[in-house]
């Protein structure tokens, strides 16, 4: 065992651990290192402890990162592996997102033993989701559906669905695939109809600025295309002050050196929607995301986000 293994911080859910192991395995392959050159450090976050109410009521996205970032800042871990969609747009001083793994499927998956698609669900069906974006989009497509709060890790949500607590649920296709659970997917929702969360399907790695040794190791597994897409999406979210309290979707795609970005903001009940898109050189990713966010803000007017 080497004396100073690279310590990888992660949440303890099966999905978070799968993402941490993928990061470790890529680093092992890139640098020819053995497994004992790494240590996976599981950190329980506030978001994992609070299961009885919506996260938007108790602090939003940062609840899944706060304790992990504290461990990074005080040197207990060397890097942290996160789902990009859990990351706040503002990070603590001294920390940065320093690598992205190649992005998985960005789409939302529909899971139900009772219908093939969201459209096929019977009138008044009950759909479970803890995401305000998904809740608003479901209501926009099917105002008759009863959408209920649905917390818990991926396995808990699958169990509740099997037990009949709800008629259907929506989950990120990427998470199901990473856990080898794609056979649970009933159908996939098209990006056109159901714009994903900013960063959905992308694993990001956070580390200390100036920790050159860790940065050098991460450079070998970094996927620039994913970062370019996420730069646009996170710039868009930052303009709208996106938190768990606002239903927001955004997706950047690359076609050669051209980046196309589309963003959406919804009222929580799905009754009002604003969408905007823009294209430009990939090198202008941040500007494109910001511009779409600013245009949407102007179109919505000052009361839109304040009403809820």
């Amino acid at each position: 065992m080497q004396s100073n293994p690279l310590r990888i911080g992660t949440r303890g859910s099966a999905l978070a651990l799968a993402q941490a192991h993928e990061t470790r395995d890529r680093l092992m392959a890139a640098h020819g290192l053995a497994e004992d050159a790494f240590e996976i450090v599981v950190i329980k976050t506030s978001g994992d402890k609070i299961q009885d109410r919506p996260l938007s009521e108790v602090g939003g996205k940062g609840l899944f990162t706060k304790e992990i970032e504290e461990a990074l800042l005080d040197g207990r871990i060397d890097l942290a592996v996160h789902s990009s969609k859990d990351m706040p747009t503002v990070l603590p001083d001294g920390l940065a997102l320093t690598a992205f793994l190649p992005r998985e499927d960005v789409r939302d998956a529909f899971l139900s033993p009772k219908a093939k698609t969201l459209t096929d669900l019977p009138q008044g069906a009950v759909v479970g989701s803890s995401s305000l974006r998904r809740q608003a989009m479901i209501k926009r497509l099917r105002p008759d559906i009863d959408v209920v709060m649905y917390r818990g890790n991926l396995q808990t949500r699958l169990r509740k669905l099997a037990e009949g607590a709800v008629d259907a649920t929506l989950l990120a296709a990427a998470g199901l695939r990473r856990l080898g659970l794609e056979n649970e997917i009933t159908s996939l929702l098209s990006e056109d109809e159901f714009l994903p969360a900013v960063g959905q399907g992308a694993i990001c790695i956070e580390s200390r600025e100036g920790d050159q040794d860790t940065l050098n190791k991460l450079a070998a597994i970094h996927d620039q295309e994913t970062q370019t897409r996420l730069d646009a999406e996170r710039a868009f979210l930052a303009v709208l002050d996106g938190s768990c309290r606002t239903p927001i979707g955004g997706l950047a795609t690359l076609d050669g050196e051209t980046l196309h970005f589309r963003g959406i903001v919804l009222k929580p009940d799905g009754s009002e929607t604003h969408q905007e898109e823009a294209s430009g050189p990939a090198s202008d990713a941040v500007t494109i995301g910001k511009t779409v966010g600013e245009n949407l803000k102007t179109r919505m007017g000052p009361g839109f986000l304040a009403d809820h």
Side-chain angles (χ1 to χ4, degrees), residues 73 91-98 206-212 215:
L73 286 167
L91 303 181
D93 288 345
L95 301 183
L97 299 185
T98 46
E206 187 178 22
S207 63
R208 289 183 292 277
E209 291 173 339
D211 177 0
Q212 208 51 53
L215 293 174

Side-chain angles (χ1 to χ4, degrees), residues 79-244:
L79 59 97
V81 180
H82 305 282
S83 292
S84 294
K85 67 185 176 69
D86 289 338
M87 294 304 290
T89 50
V90 178
L91 303 181
D93 288 345
L95 301 183
L97 299 185
T98 46
F100 292 88
L101 302 190
R103 198 170 194 174
E104 243 282 12
D105 194 330
V106 300
R107 290 174 292 180
D108 287 301
F110 175 78
L111 287 75
S112 175
K114 300 186 177 177
K116 284 279 175 234
T117 67
L118 189 61
T119 317
D120 296 337
L121 279 171
Q123 186 115 3
V126 178
V127 179
S129 176
S130 61
S131 153
L132 287 193
R133 174 189 61 87
R134 289 182 183 135
Q135 290 173 8
M137 288 186 168
I138 292 165
K139 290 170 185 170
R140 174 182 168 221
L141 289 171
R142 289 286 306 271
D144 62 292
I145 279 178
D146 185 16
V147 185
V148 297
M149 254 309 290
Y150 200 59
R151 288 288 316 283
N153 65 32
L154 200 143
Q155 280 79 4
T156 303
R157 295 184 206 194
L158 291 176
R159 192 191 73 241
K160 285 181 183 174
L161 179 65
E163 290 169 353
V166 292
D167 298 316
T169 190
L170 269 57
L171 296 167
L176 291 160
R177 292 189 200 284
R178 287 195 177 106
L179 287 173
L181 294 169
E182 50 264 72
N183 59 333
E184 300 281 348
I185 297 172
T186 309
S187 60
L188 289 162
L189 292 146
S190 81
E191 298 151 27
D192 293 338
E193 186 178 54
F194 230 84
L195 208 56
V198 162
Q200 187 154 303
I203 294 171
C204 64
I205 300 164
E206 187 178 22
S207 63
R208 289 183 292 277
E209 291 173 339
D211 177 0
Q212 208 51 53
D213 187 43
T214 299
L215 293 174
N216 292 343
K217 285 193 174 77
L218 291 173
I221 64 167
H222 174 61
D223 185 70
Q224 186 54 48
E225 179 178 323
T226 300
Q227 176 172 352
T228 301
R229 293 170 67 187
L230 268 285
D231 282 349
E233 293 176 24
R234 287 175 60 78
F236 163 74
L237 194 62
V239 168
L240 293 168
D241 193 27
S243 70
C244 286

